Amino acid sequence: GFPHAKDVALPLRGSQSKMLSNVLTGKITGAMLEKSGNYETIIKRKLEAIIRLEQLLRSPCQVYLYNPRKLPFYTDIKAKYLLVDAQTQVVFLFTDTEDNNGPCFSRSTFVMGDRDFRINQTRLAVLQTKRTDLSTGNTDVIFCKDGFSN
């Protein structure tokens, strides 16, 4: 939701990953974003959707390879993967880091409205989802499709 907060003076601006880093380190706070005229209508809904990410990853969500050129409408959102919670219709668009080996991060999050971003996209099967604690290196399986073993 950072592009929707242009009416707020934030201490730092930059790429999505830099902005997220500034949030995680406390340089940008929720109180700062709440001052935006778009907070109630756009930003707050995006933040609420992000909170649902763990729930999404624990369920058999719909995952697609995302190609905006295949959509029957225009969007400038660039991402590699599209995740959709079938129950809540919350959409997450993810992409890799520039070297394609780093962790994925969210490009956009929203509740699907009148535009269905799944149209003409290649659906993938989710076999297993793991969570890794970066500080300890411990990994937990948070979702595993019945019958799948690695």
Side-chain angles (χ1 to χ4, degrees):
F2 295 116
H4 301 286
K6 290 185 179 177
D7 60 338
V8 177
L10 297 176
L12 303 163
R13 294 260 181 199
S15 68
Q16 289 284 81
S17 59
K18 286 181 184 176
M19 294 294 283
L20 179 58
S21 178
N22 290 330
V23 168
L24 295 174
T25 59
K27 294 177 184 171
I28 297 176
T29 66
M32 292 173 183
L33 295 173
E34 287 176 11
K35 294 177 182 175
S36 171
N38 292 321
Y39 183 77
E40 287 295 326
T41 57
I42 300 172
I43 299 168
K44 184 177 178 181
R45 290 186 305 155
K46 288 179 176 283
L47 293 173
E48 289 169 351
I50 290 170
I51 292 168
R52 296 185 179 121
L53 178 60
E54 185 173 359
Q55 172 190 333
L56 173 76
L57 295 176
R58 289 183 177 273
S59 66
C61 63
Q62 299 169 351
V63 179
Y64 300 83
L65 285 176
Y66 176 72
N67 183 343
R69 292 187 310 258
K70 291 183 174 182
L71 293 169
F73 51 83
Y74 175 77
T75 179
D76 61 356
I77 300 172
K78 293 171 181 56
K80 187 171 183 178
Y81 302 104
L82 165 68
L83 281 71
V84 180
D85 182 330
Q87 292 177 337
T88 64
Q89 297 298 294
V90 172
V91 173
F92 293 89
L93 290 158
F94 287 93
T95 191
D96 297 12
T97 55
E98 289 74 28
D99 62 7
N100 290 325
N101 287 324
C104 290
F105 59 92
S106 178
R107 282 282 190 202
S108 188
T109 303
F110 50 90
V111 176
M112 196 175 327
D114 58 342
R115 299 188 309 168
D116 189 341
F117 283 73
R118 297 171 292 190
I119 295 173
N120 299 327
Q121 305 304 305
T122 303
R123 187 164 178 184
L124 305 174
V126 177
L127 301 176
Q128 189 175 70
T129 307
K130 295 181 180 181
R131 174 181 49 210
T132 302
D133 183 327
L134 297 177
S135 62
T136 65
N138 294 336
T139 300
D140 299 318
V141 174
I142 58 174
F143 170 77
C144 187
K145 185 171 177 70
D146 290 341
F148 176 74
S149 64
N150 51 342

